[in-house]
Amino acid sequence: MSTPPKIYVAGHQGMVGSAIVRHLLAHGHPAVRIVTRTHAELDLTDQAVVRQFFDAEKPDQVYLAAAKVGGIHANNTYPAEFLYDNLMIQANVINAAFRNGVKKLLFLGSSCIYPKLAPQPMREDALLTGVLEPTNEPYALAKIAGIKLCESYNRQYGESQGIDYRSVMPTNLYGPGDNYHPENSHVIPALISRFHEAKAHGATSVAIWGTGTPRREFLYIDDMAAACVHVMNLNKATYAAHTHPMLSHINVGCGQDLTIRELAEAVGKTVGYRGKIVLDPSKPDGTPRKLMDSSRLNALGWQAKVGMEKGLALAYQDFLSRTQ
């Protein structure tokens, strides 16, 4: 019986990384073959210590879910850190993995890699066809560099050394492990927190920014983890047949979107808030629509399973467990 691969999950304390670890454990991967390090234990922006770590641990596979992340406020406030830190994390981990014979690596990016005005739904071939959204351009540029670094290692060393480094681009994610910070959180955790507070204080209404008409797609975090493991374990020939050496990344989404108004109503229902939802059209709407085209991944045999109603209920349970 073959020994299970030794897997390093970079960023295991984040929402995506922790979900990948959960998925691996739930599907029988032995915990002793999963390697993790906290940021305090291993600073991934430090090339020397990353190389020492890989020299010592010698993992067989790497899930690169570590990143400096945040919402619009954080991206606007710390653009230098978002670009530098993410470039360093990616370059150090991918290079150290290569130097230590890691054949399989999965890099996690973001839907913000696509142009601000990309045709909807956004296909993989929209990459580098237009101007990025200014508020998260540094983060997006770093993620694009990560995709291209994986592709470049494949092109240069794929045949000679069996390198197979892949990239997945998730849509908006939510669920257990999310960030509920009032300034740095994304829309679903922000709405959960806001409706929960309104319910607790008996507020008669909750104000939502904008017109409520922009459409967004959301994927439950455990679906994302399942997609990551699915893509990592695909046969190399199968993966190659559905991608291109210089366009190898894969979108991960559920294929459906909803308006911000519909989302707010769904979150309010989940939380049990019975007051009014008031729209504030004086506030910005942002991009009219952001929907991923996940047909490439669907053709590779994966579909999302967790619907919005169930996903929001699980997300609210997670919020309650951390606030009580």
Side-chain angles (χ1 to χ4, degrees):
M1 191 172 181
S2 61
T3 304
K6 188 176 187 181
I7 300 175
Y8 169 46
V9 180
H12 76 286
Q13 291 187 317
M15 181 167 63
V16 183
S18 60
I20 290 172
V21 172
R22 278 200 309 275
H23 184 90
L24 291 170
L25 293 174
H27 289 78
H29 195 87
V32 293
R33 301 290 289 174
I34 298 175
V35 180
T36 60
R37 292 291 188 277
T38 65
H39 176 70
E41 295 170 327
L42 177 62
D43 179 0
L44 295 178
T45 66
D46 187 325
Q47 184 183 70
V49 299
V50 172
R51 288 184 174 181
Q52 291 168 7
F53 164 76
F54 273 87
D55 289 344
E57 289 293 342
K58 302 286 186 191
D60 302 302
Q61 297 181 10
V62 174
Y63 287 88
L64 181 41
K68 181 178 180 63
V69 298
I72 292 176
H73 175 78
N75 275 270
N76 273 333
T77 307
Y78 309 108
E81 283 85 349
F82 271 84
L83 183 55
Y84 177 84
D85 288 358
N86 285 304
L87 285 173
M88 292 301 102
I89 289 168
Q90 297 158 191
N92 291 339
V93 172
I94 294 169
N95 179 258
F98 168 72
R99 288 163 58 98
N100 282 276
V102 175
K103 306 300 184 190
K104 301 193 72 174
L105 178 146
L106 189 75
F107 171 70
L108 279 76
S110 166
S111 62
C112 70
I113 63 166
Y114 295 116
K116 178 179 181 179
L117 301 178
Q120 302 292 316
M122 298 182 291
R123 291 161 35 112
E124 285 89 352
D125 58 11
L127 183 65
L128 298 176
T129 61
V131 176
L132 297 166
E133 164 60 46
T135 55
N136 55 21
E137 182 190 75
Y139 181 75
L141 285 171
K143 290 299 182 181
I144 293 170
I147 296 170
K148 294 304 176 183
L149 192 56
C150 288
E151 290 180 350
S152 297
Y153 273 96
N154 289 340
R155 291 169 60 205
Q156 188 168 344
Y157 300 109
E159 289 190 18
S160 63
Q161 299 194 36
I163 298 303
D164 187 6
Y165 294 174
R166 304 173 180 181
S167 302
V168 288
M169 302 298 119
T171 188
N172 300 298
L173 302 173
Y174 73 100
D178 214 335
N179 168 28
Y180 296 96
H181 189 279
E183 289 184 343
N184 295 335
S185 62
H186 293 108
V187 63
I188 285 184
L191 287 174
I192 287 175
S193 179
R194 196 180 307 172
F195 278 110
H196 177 80
E197 288 297 315
K199 178 186 174 183
H201 292 96
T204 58
S205 65
V206 172
I208 305 298
W209 275 29
T211 63
T213 58
R215 302 186 68 88
R216 296 290 184 268
E217 177 187 22
F218 298 94
L219 183 70
Y220 186 65
I221 191 60
D222 285 8
D223 272 344
M224 179 59 192
C228 288
V229 176
H230 180 83
V231 171
M232 174 72 96
N233 293 331
L234 283 169
N235 175 275
K236 189 173 183 178
T238 302
Y239 188 84
H242 288 81
T243 58
H244 183 278
M246 295 184 70
L247 192 69
S248 65
H249 63 285
I250 292 182
N251 289 343
V252 185
C254 67
Q256 297 179 332
D257 59 1
L258 73 169
T259 68
I260 294 298
R261 174 64 186 255
E262 290 168 338
L263 175 65
E265 290 171 348
V267 173
K269 181 180 177 182
T270 300
V271 172
Y273 176 72
R274 303 187 186 280
K276 291 183 178 181
I277 296 173
V278 179
L279 299 170
D280 183 358
S282 69
K283 297 294 194 296
D285 267 341
T287 306
R289 192 181 192 195
K290 282 186 69 177
L291 176 65
M292 303 279 269
D293 182 334
S294 298
S295 55
R296 177 182 273 187
L297 180 57
N298 298 153
L300 286 164
W302 183 88
Q303 295 273 353
K305 294 180 179 179
V306 181
M308 182 62 79
E309 184 176 351
K310 180 181 178 181
L312 286 177
L314 292 168
Y316 187 45
Q317 288 177 17
D318 175 64
F319 171 81
L320 292 174
S321 71
R322 292 202 266 164
T323 55
Q324 291 179 342

